[in-house]
Every structure is written in structure tokens, then in C-alpha cells.
Amino acid sequence: MTEYYAHITQANDNGKKQRVQFLEDHSTHVAELAGQFAAEFGCGDIAHVMGVLHDKGKEQTEWQKYIQGVTGYTPKYAKIKSGPNHAYIGARIAQILYPQFAPLIAQPIAGHHRGLYDYCEYIEETKKDIPKEVLIPESQSCAMPRQQNLKSYDIHHLVRMLFSCLVDADSLDTEEFMNPEQASLRGTHTTMTELLGKLEEYLSQLKEKSEDTEVNRIRNYVQEQCVKESQGEMGFYSLTVPTGGGKTLASVLWALHHAVNNHLHRVIIAIPYTSIIVQTAATLKTIFGEENVLEHHSNFDPETIKDSERRERLQLATENWDYPIIVTTNVQLFESLFSNKRSDCRKLHNIVKSVLILDEAQTLPMNFYKPIVHTLDTLCRFFRVSVLFTTASQPVLTGRIDGTNPSVGFDALNSVYEIIPADAKLHDKLRRVELKIDETSKSYDEIAAQLSKYQRVLCIVNTRRDAKELYERLPKEGICLHLSRMMCPTHVATTIKHIKRALKESGDDPIRVIATQLVEAGVDIDFPVVYRQEAGLDSILQAAGRCNREGKNGICTTYVFSLGKEHPLPPGFISQTNNARLNMVGRYDWFAPETMVAYFKQLHCRIDNFDKQQMQELLYKPECEFEEAASRFHLIDDQSISVLINWHDSINLYQRLLSEGPSYQLMKQMAQFSVNIRKHDFDKLKSIGAIEEPFENIYVITNPAFYHDDTGLSIDNQWLEETYII
């Protein structure tokens, strides 16, 4: 029998003796691992076959010469610098042996290096002949899981999940052979039962220290309800709790109990904003230990973890989410679920048999509402995922979702079980705020004058421009702060800490803050007075959640105002949400859950497309267009350009960039001192030489005159104007 090589260590690997991994050993182990992963959703046989076939193409004579030459194992082949494509061969064999399962087996095999194909390209790729030296094995028993009511939108997720099983198994086996020291850092996790014990102990200690207030009694009630309702069957649940009701810890308490009861593997918490994710992750690390909580988002810098082994474990876990608790962003979660790339999809099979908490569920983007809701339905029915929607402003996710006309609408989830019974009336018991809505148009000066009357006030506006204009008009007495994304992430985090500290320690000094929506949800700050520029009801209630948060000041006021004299709301989603609110004629208790239902129905009828990027046309069929769909599915339509600014330690990072060149770790650190700006503003700054490009597509503003401690990056400043004059 001919022995084929799958991997060979390098000849010059620090003097170590070369090792070889035979192809049969690699394929057998990959098949076993992939089969184990896919068995969790009833597709173990299919994934096992994929593992057996995925590298059959490496039996080609030319590929064997390549692997021996490029590793120095056989010097006479050293001139061969690239090997022939091998992935299509296993896919072609799968089509021959398993025609009934061909797309499920062959697509992942064909793309296990370059990513999943669009259908026509996949067909072209697998039309090629199988080289004569590659032997076609006998077929194995292979069966589809018994899944009733398979829906059109399930298919692409099933293919992608099988792809995930294959590429993770392939990566893990390769790593175990090539880098056994690194491989040893994976696995060995705390169980859900052990984590539940840690949380219950933490909550018990917290209750002992807490005052006996109405707010704390309600928080205890919410936790008791979560424990009670966690014993239910797997499915869709919601936790609708007004801001300040302790829903973050209560949701995790429900999730861990539910996971233990249903033998699930992990808890995944998806959060819309990085400002919330950092705060949530910090709390969970305090409870469960840094070794049990994986942060996976763009703003997380692994270098903040001092223990080198723990840091490496966390970095490895970002590849495949093999961790008990994952805290990530909606963008990371959903864009991975629609990706075609090996690196993005590798983690997906570890979503199977988990609890998924979607925090601030009202922020799910309407332009992607249909494919997102359908994806959640597939995860629940096919992949044994229970989903918990948590928010103070619960969106409508069941029944028929109607848009501007019947053709726009779609059928959403069959049911979502609410953990808090309606007769609990938490919105009444936690009522700490009244809304006063002024629909007359105001100027910046008029709003600034109103804000100046208060010693402590938070004002939330819709745009960076409005934030800066109002901030500049406030008297600079006491503590006057600005918060917007014109400030780099480190600056934002520092300012939020400053606000929290000032609210606790500053006595009678004025504290006035102008912010964009980045503080609207999840940021734990508490002002006696809040102003909110006109917007949708969900945004207004989130803003009201920053007012009298602990309920210690009786009933406080959140004022809603219009800047129509200066900056009317532009056409687009903010206007749609505001108009939905304005169209709610009659008398409403703005804080009641049924009011939120009425609001979202008003909003839905203003949406002309719940699937703007046409995922249905690309993916709801056996002939899936994986690559095209992945290129379109971006939750944030971000045309901005990231620029490193000169503020505090960032100039040291810039010097490292010049001396070391770009690296993954350095770019992560630089992101903490970068600001995303519109192309129009980027071009404006670049035209006067303010922006440097030391490496391709890496942009830097080294002149400190363009970044201020109060408002961040300045597009329009005196230095810029003088440059234009000259």
C-alpha cells in the first residue's frame, strides 16, 4: 500500500528531527472529530464521510512532490513551490458516491481551504477530472437526520454548519501534529453546573450587601422568575424588564439553569454595542473568572491579559468558540452565520446545543430582520439552540411581520415565551421617570440654555455634529463632558469612567454630559434629568433608563426635544422610527409593553424591505450563492475609514508600526486609538496632508492639533482653515 503524506514539519525547525503525518492518519482523525461535532445535530455520518474524503486530492503525485520539496524532506523537489489544487477531488468523489447528499458533502469539501463557493463556480470546480492516481474508495453508510418540516432557509445553514465541523476538525488535527504544545492549551473547561454554582454564590453575597429597597426586591423577583421558567423546554424566550431591573445577571441565571436542565454546552451572549460588551464581560469575569469568559469583539485587546498561558488560551478560543461563556457582538455572531470563509465559519458548530442571549433585542436591524429571524428559527429547530431575547423594549418577533405592502412581509417565529408575567406590571413598579415631549422645533442655543439650568443633566442626540454643537454652547463650569464616536474607543471608555466617578464623588459640582446614542443602552450611568433628541420610542425609553436609575429621587423627567430649527432629522431609519412614534395617536402609557408592540407595528409598516441584501434569492434554495451572500451581509453599512489619531499612548504604537511593520496584535492595539470617519471628511483631511499612509490602507494623523481632549477628532479646526487660506 502506498503511503501518502498529509503534513511534514519543516527541516529547519530549530534543529528538531522532521516528523511526517500520513494522509490516512490525518483523514481518519478528521473524520472522527467532524463526525463527533456533527453528531450533535444528527449529521455525524455525513461529516465522517467529509473527513474521509476532504484530502483525497493529496494523493496526486505532484502534490506529494510539492509537500516533500517545500518542507525540505526531499531536497530534489525543492524547486516545486506550489502544489496542485486538491480540494475539488474529494468533492468530485463525494458527488459520485453520494449523489443524494452531494451539495451537503461536496460543497464543504470543495471549499475547505478557500471558502464556500457560489453554486455555479462550485459546479465548474467539480467538473474537473479525477487524476488517475487517486483511488475512489467504497461508499459508507450515510443518512440524513430525521428532521420534520425542513424549510427553505435551513439548507444554507446546514451546509455551513457541516463546513464548520470539517474545517475545525481539519484545523485541530493539523495543529495537534504541527504544534502539539499549542494544541495542549485547548479544552478542559468548567461545566455549566460549576458555573451555575459560582453565580448563585455571587448573587447570594450580593443580596446580603444590598439594601432592602423596592428596586432590589424587584430584581430578586426577576431572578426568581428566571429560575422558575428555566426548567421549560428548549425554544424562544423573552425577558422584558425595565431598565434597572437587573436583567443582565437574571438572564445569565436563566441561561445557566436552562443549560444544565437541557444538557447544553455553553452560553453565548450577543450584544449590539461595544460600550455594553466591555461592561458586561467585566462583570462576568468577576463572577466566573477570566478563564471562563471569552470576549470576542473588535475592541478587545488580548494584551490586557497578563498571564501568558491564559492569554494564548483565549486567543485560540476565538478561532472556534470552544469556551463555556462567550460574550460577542451581533455583528460577529450574525455575519459569521452568513459567511463563506473558513476562519469565520470554523466556530459555528460550537453554537449547537447552547443558550443564545440576544441583549437589547430591539436593535436587530430591520434591513436584515427576515434573514436574522429565519436564522434564529433554524438554530432552534435544527441545532438545539434556545434563544433568550432581553430588553426593556421588546420588539415584535412572532406572527406575520407586515411591511409597506403585502409582498414585503414575512412569517416570523411561531411563539416567544415571556418569562415575566404580564400581571407583574414591572413597568409600573419600576416607574421612576415621566416623559415630557416637546415637538416644537428648537435651536442649539435654546436647548443648551435649558440644559444649563440643571446641575446634573445628560443630553443624548442622534449625530456627532449635534453633540459637538451643543457641547460647545454649554458653560464650561464644573464637569462638562462630550461623548461621541469622534473619540477613539480608549477615550470613550475613559470618559464613561470619569462620568461614573464624578456622579459618585463630585458633591454639588455641575455635571453636564452631551452624548450620542453610544450611552443609550446598557451603560450604567444615572442622572436626575435626561434630555433626548426626538427618535423612536425604543431609543427614547433607553435614554430614560439613564434617568433616576436606582429610583432614589421619586419621579424624575426625561425631556424629548426637536432640533428642527438647526438640523431636522434626515430621511432614513431615524426618521422612520420617529414618525412611527409620532403616528401613535391617542393616550399611551409610554412604558407599558403593549405600547412597545403598537410602536413596532407602526415601525414595520414603514419598512419597504426586511431583506435588503436579498438573502432569500441567494440562499433559500439548494443552489446557494455562499460567496455573494457573504459579501452582502454586513449589519453595519459602514463606508467609513479608520484613522489612527495622536492621543496619549497612540504615538508609541505609531512608532512601533514604523519599526516593526503591521501585525495582528499591533493593529488590535491601534484600533483602540482610531476613529472611523466618512470618506468625505477623510478626503478633506488627506487633501491638506493631514493624513499619512505608512503602509497600504493604514492611515494616521500624527498632528495633535486635530485631536482634542474634549471632543476628539476635529474635522473643522482653525489650523485646517488657515491651511485652506494659504
Side-chain angles (χ1 to χ4, degrees):
M1 178 180 174
T2 304
E3 293 281 18
Y4 299 105
Y5 302 120
H7 302 103
I8 304 174
T9 59
Q10 287 292 330
N12 59 353
D13 186 11
N14 296 321
K16 294 179 182 178
K17 184 179 178 180
Q18 278 191 283
R19 295 178 296 112
V20 300
Q21 183 186 37
F22 292 113
L23 181 57
E24 183 178 3
D25 293 337
H26 173 63
S27 297
T28 298
H29 193 207
V30 170
E32 290 172 354
L33 274 178
Q36 290 171 21
F37 296 155
E40 298 283 9
F41 53 94
C43 291
D45 290 348
I46 293 174
H48 189 276
V49 166
M50 289 163 46
V52 169
L53 297 180
H54 82 287
D55 271 355
K56 284 291 289 183
K58 289 185 177 181
E59 293 178 5
Q60 296 172 90
T61 302
E62 291 305 309
W63 199 93
Q64 288 295 308
K65 290 179 179 178
Y66 154 71
I67 189 66
Q68 294 176 61
V70 77
T71 59
Y73 189 73
T74 305
K76 69 178 181 179
Y77 299 138
K79 292 183 179 180
I80 302 175
K81 300 301 181 185
S82 62
N85 180 10
H86 69 276
Y88 81 90
I89 295 171
R92 183 72 190 99
I93 293 173
Q95 291 175 333
I96 295 169
L97 295 179
Y98 308 97
Q100 71 275 37
F101 302 131
L104 295 182
I105 300 177
Q107 258 277 27
I109 293 174
H112 79 270
H113 283 297
R114 58 84 71 191
L116 294 170
Y117 288 88
D118 286 340
Y119 186 75
C120 289
E121 192 176 357
Y122 151 71
I123 292 297
E124 285 300 313
E125 185 70 10
T126 53
K127 278 182 178 178
K128 301 172 186 176
D129 294 331
I130 300 172
K132 61 181 182 298
E133 64 265 39
V134 177
L135 299 178
I136 299 177
E138 294 182 3
S139 63
Q140 302 177 13
S141 62
C142 196
M144 274 286 289
R146 293 183 178 180
Q147 176 65 35
Q148 296 181 348
N149 301 321
L150 188 70
K151 298 183 179 180
S152 61
Y153 51 75
D154 294 333
I155 298 170
H156 72 99
H157 287 302
L158 180 56
V159 173
R160 203 179 280 102
M161 201 65 83
L162 286 166
F163 177 60
S164 172
C165 293
L166 176 61
V167 297
D168 193 32
D170 187 25
S171 298
L172 289 172
D173 182 70
T174 301
E175 178 185 66
E176 188 175 342
F177 171 74
M178 299 295 291
N179 193 345
E181 295 84 5
Q182 179 173 295
S184 69
L185 295 173
R186 296 184 183 272
T188 63
H189 302 312
T190 308
T191 67
M192 294 289 103
T193 301
E194 291 169 329
L195 292 175
L196 178 57
K198 288 177 179 287
L199 179 57
E200 289 179 330
E201 181 181 355
Y202 175 86
L203 291 174
S204 176
Q205 293 175 357
L206 190 63
K207 288 175 185 176
E208 289 178 7
K209 299 175 185 175
S210 300
E211 300 176 31
D212 183 22
T213 64
E214 177 66 13
V215 170
N216 284 330
R217 285 193 290 273
I218 289 171
R219 289 171 180 166
N220 291 337
Y221 166 77
V222 171
Q223 291 174 17
E224 290 166 2
Q225 279 298 118
C226 284
V227 173
K228 175 184 174 183
E229 300 296 349
S230 65
Q231 305 305 303
E233 296 180 356
M234 296 187 65
F236 292 100
Y237 293 79
S238 60
L239 180 61
T240 307
V241 177
T243 302
K247 68 179 183 299
T248 299
L249 290 181
S251 66
V252 178
L253 181 64
W254 177 88
L256 286 172
H257 272 286
H258 191 70
V260 170
N261 186 60
N262 289 284
H263 311 291
L264 306 180
H265 301 322
R266 58 186 47 83
V267 174
I268 301 168
I269 305 169
I271 297 173
Y273 308 119
T274 53
S275 55
I276 312 174
I277 199 171
V278 173
Q279 179 177 287
T280 301
T283 300
L284 296 180
K285 287 176 183 178
T286 299
I287 299 169
F288 301 111
E290 198 173 55
E291 69 278 8
N292 289 311
V293 180
L294 172 66
E295 273 188 84
H296 192 187
H297 57 91
S298 59
N299 275 4
F300 179 64
D301 179 10
E303 294 302 314
T304 58
I305 300 172
K306 303 306 179 186
D307 184 287
S308 59
E309 181 177 313
R310 186 172 293 168
R311 180 169 63 246
E312 189 170 358
R313 284 180 184 272
L314 283 165
Q315 288 174 291
L316 291 172
T318 61
E319 297 174 351
N320 67 351
W321 281 10
D322 187 12
Y323 234 65
I325 298 176
I326 291 124
V327 187
T328 190
T329 60
N330 288 353
V331 169
Q332 176 69 235
L333 173 68
F334 288 111
E335 290 189 6
S336 293
L337 283 162
F338 282 84
S339 179
N340 72 315
K341 295 179 181 177
R342 176 187 176 109
S343 58
D344 292 336
C345 293
R346 181 179 170 184
K347 59 181 169 287
L348 296 183
H349 73 90
N350 276 325
I351 299 175
V352 176
K353 293 183 73 173
S354 67
V355 180
L356 173 59
I357 299 174
L358 288 176
D359 194 22
E360 304 297 349
Q362 80 284 355
T363 63
L364 293 174
M366 289 294 157
N367 287 340
F368 292 93
Y369 214 45
K370 179 177 177 178
I372 284 176
V373 171
H374 285 168
T375 294
L376 296 173
D377 184 47
T378 299
L379 289 177
C380 181
R381 287 186 300 103
F382 214 111
F383 299 112
R384 293 207 66 208
V385 176
S386 275
V387 181
L388 177 65
F389 303 100
T390 71
T391 180
S393 311
Q394 201 66 243
V396 176
L397 291 157
T398 57
R400 184 74 183 173
I401 304 294
D402 292 315
T404 53
N405 61 71
S407 66
V408 173
F410 70 97
D411 292 323
L413 306 176
N414 289 332
S415 64
V416 176
Y417 183 84
E418 173 57 49
I419 290 172
I420 305 299
D423 59 11
K425 295 191 178 298
L426 294 190
H427 67 284
D428 267 341
K429 294 176 182 176
L430 280 171
R431 194 181 298 273
R432 308 177 302 277
V433 180
E434 64 175 349
L435 294 184
K436 289 191 176 179
I437 301 173
D438 184 355
E439 295 173 9
T440 60
S441 296
K442 295 291 190 294
S443 67
Y444 291 130
D445 287 331
E446 287 173 315
I447 296 301
Q450 290 184 31
L451 297 175
S452 300
K453 296 176 183 177
Y454 299 99
Q455 286 291 95
R456 295 192 172 192
V457 61
L458 167 67
C459 177
I460 302 175
V461 293
N462 295 324
T463 69
R464 301 175 183 186
R465 167 186 162 182
D466 291 333
K468 187 176 181 182
E469 292 286 353
L470 279 173
Y471 173 79
E472 289 177 344
R473 286 164 169 78
L474 287 181
K476 301 305 180 281
E477 58 186 9
I479 297 171
C480 184
L481 297 172
H482 163 280
L483 265 173
S484 82
R485 292 297 178 195
M486 291 305 278
M487 299 154 66
C488 67
T490 299
H491 196 174
V492 169
T494 301
T495 304
I496 290 174
K497 287 180 182 177
H498 185 185
I499 294 169
K500 290 181 177 181
R501 187 170 58 251
L503 289 170
K504 290 179 180 179
E505 301 174 357
S506 293
D508 296 328
D509 290 343
I511 304 174
R512 302 183 183 110
V513 177
I514 307 291
T516 56
Q517 293 156 282
L518 67 88
V519 300
E520 197 163 82
V523 178
D524 187 8
I525 54 178
D526 189 355
F527 281 83
V529 179
V530 170
Y531 273 66
R532 180 58 168 97
Q533 187 181 0
E534 60 182 347
L537 181 60
D538 54 332
S539 291
I540 289 171
L541 294 189
Q542 290 293 339
R546 309 314 113 198
C547 182
N548 195 22
R549 190 175 178 87
E550 294 297 323
K552 295 179 179 180
N553 298 307
I555 298 295
C556 294
T557 305
T558 292
Y559 297 91
V560 180
F561 64 93
S562 167
L563 283 171
K565 286 185 180 179
E566 302 274 7
H567 194 194
L569 295 182
F573 188 66
I574 291 179
S575 286
Q576 288 175 327
T577 62
N578 191 51
N579 289 336
R581 176 183 61 82
L582 292 173
N583 205 53
M584 294 173 66
V585 295
R587 296 180 62 85
Y588 284 95
D589 176 353
W590 295 114
F591 295 90
E594 55 269 24
T595 302
M596 191 55 57
V597 171
Y599 162 73
F600 272 107
K601 288 184 176 180
Q602 281 285 344
L603 177 59
H604 292 164
C605 73
R606 287 166 169 74
I607 305 298
D608 60 9
N609 201 332
F610 294 103
D611 183 16
K612 188 176 182 180
Q613 295 300 329
Q614 299 179 310
M615 294 299 112
Q616 178 169 339
E617 287 75 7
L618 295 171
L619 295 173
Y620 289 26
K621 56 185 180 179
E623 304 83 11
C624 296
E625 308 292 337
F626 287 104
E627 191 164 15
E628 178 63 23
S631 71
R632 294 190 194 181
F633 194 94
H634 296 290
L635 294 191
I636 301 174
D637 186 15
D638 190 0
Q639 303 298 320
S640 62
I641 301 168
S642 180
V643 179
L644 178 71
I645 50 82
N646 185 343
W647 188 73
H648 290 202
D649 296 336
S650 66
I651 203 66
N652 295 330
L653 297 176
Y654 176 59
Q655 294 302 327
R656 282 182 56 194
L657 176 69
L658 294 178
S659 61
E660 302 171 12
S663 66
Y664 175 78
Q665 290 300 336
L666 182 56
M667 297 304 291
K668 291 283 285 185
Q669 290 175 278
M670 287 169 54
Q672 299 303 303
F673 293 91
S674 297
V675 175
N676 293 329
I677 56 176
R678 297 172 300 177
K679 189 175 185 305
H680 169 77
D681 295 324
F682 176 86
D683 291 341
K684 184 177 179 181
L685 291 168
K686 195 170 184 181
S687 68
I688 60 151
I691 292 179
E692 302 172 30
E693 188 178 5
F695 295 91
E696 185 177 4
N697 296 328
I698 297 177
Y699 304 105
V700 183
I701 298 176
T702 58
N703 190 331
F706 285 90
Y707 197 86
H708 303 295
D709 280 334
D710 48 3
T711 56
L713 181 63
S714 178
I715 303 300
D716 299 300
N717 59 35
Q718 184 179 355
W719 190 87
L720 182 61
E721 295 301 325
E722 290 174 354
T723 303
Y724 277 126
I725 293 170
I726 293 170

